Amino acid sequence: MRRLLTSPPLSLAVLLLWLLLVADFSPGQLAIGIILALLLPWLAGMLEPERASFGRTIALLALTRRVLWDMLLSNIEVARRILGPERVLTPGFVWIPLELTNIHGITALASIITLTPGTVSAELTGDRRFLLVHCFNLKDADAQVAEIKARYESLLKEIFP
């Protein structure tokens, strides 16, 4: 069974994504989704030798809640800033020094930053030690770095040891 189901979380995500994309829950689409859910993680495992391992899964729930809340607040803040005077905006780039070493954790961090309105992940250094982030309104670079590290990286270090 382990050889067939190489990554249960990824398989579940593929199945759910397939069913949402086709918006059809018929037995035929479910069968295609199951085939994709078994095949795609196996193929992905052949491409990427570094496997994802999960630490504290309870931290995943806390991170999900935090990201959804931050996305809501960021949407409101970005809308408020866009409707306000342009001269008060201070866009800028900031390098985030990473303590995360797991590529899956780094990918999750970059995705979270990009999903949160007002910030976009721009570049990861070759040694995976720094992530460049563009901020829509960067007032204090040190505070922005501290916030990203405290809100997201700390939980991701628990999830991806």
Side-chain angles (χ1 to χ4, degrees):
M1 184 65 172
R2 181 75 179 146
R3 289 184 60 197
L4 184 62
L5 199 59
T6 58
S7 175
L10 184 56
S11 293
L12 180 63
V14 168
L15 176 61
L16 291 175
L17 185 61
W18 175 258
L19 293 174
L20 289 172
L21 284 172
V22 297
D24 180 5
F25 301 99
S26 67
Q29 291 299 333
L30 183 61
I32 291 171
I34 290 171
I35 291 168
L36 289 173
L38 295 174
L39 188 61
L40 291 179
W42 177 73
L43 289 172
M46 293 173 59
L47 296 173
E48 179 63 52
E50 191 174 329
R51 308 290 277 173
S53 62
F54 294 98
R56 289 191 49 222
T57 53
I58 194 75
L60 182 61
L61 295 173
L63 180 65
T64 301
R65 186 180 66 237
R66 183 171 292 169
V67 169
L68 291 174
W69 179 250
D70 287 353
M71 287 173 66
L72 174 69
L73 293 179
S74 294
N75 271 302
I76 294 168
E77 178 66 16
V78 167
R80 191 174 70 78
R81 297 274 180 197
I82 288 173
L83 296 173
E86 188 176 327
R87 69 182 177 280
V88 298
L89 292 178
T90 53
F93 286 92
V94 63
W95 284 101
I96 309 289
L98 299 176
E99 295 173 37
L100 275 168
T101 56
N102 184 302
I103 189 61
H104 303 290
I106 294 170
T107 302
L109 177 63
S111 297
I112 289 167
I113 289 169
T114 300
L115 285 171
T116 307
T119 55
V120 176
S121 299
E123 183 180 350
L124 177 65
T125 58
D127 61 2
R128 301 178 183 174
R129 295 184 59 210
F130 294 92
L131 180 66
L132 182 63
V133 175
H134 180 269
C135 301
F136 176 69
N137 192 32
L138 182 63
K139 294 284 188 202
D140 181 357
D142 292 334
Q144 185 70 44
V145 168
E147 182 178 2
I148 288 172
K149 292 181 80 54
R151 293 194 64 76
Y152 308 126
E153 188 182 32
S154 61
L155 285 172
L156 286 167
K157 287 188 327 189
E158 294 179 35
I159 298 167
F160 297 102

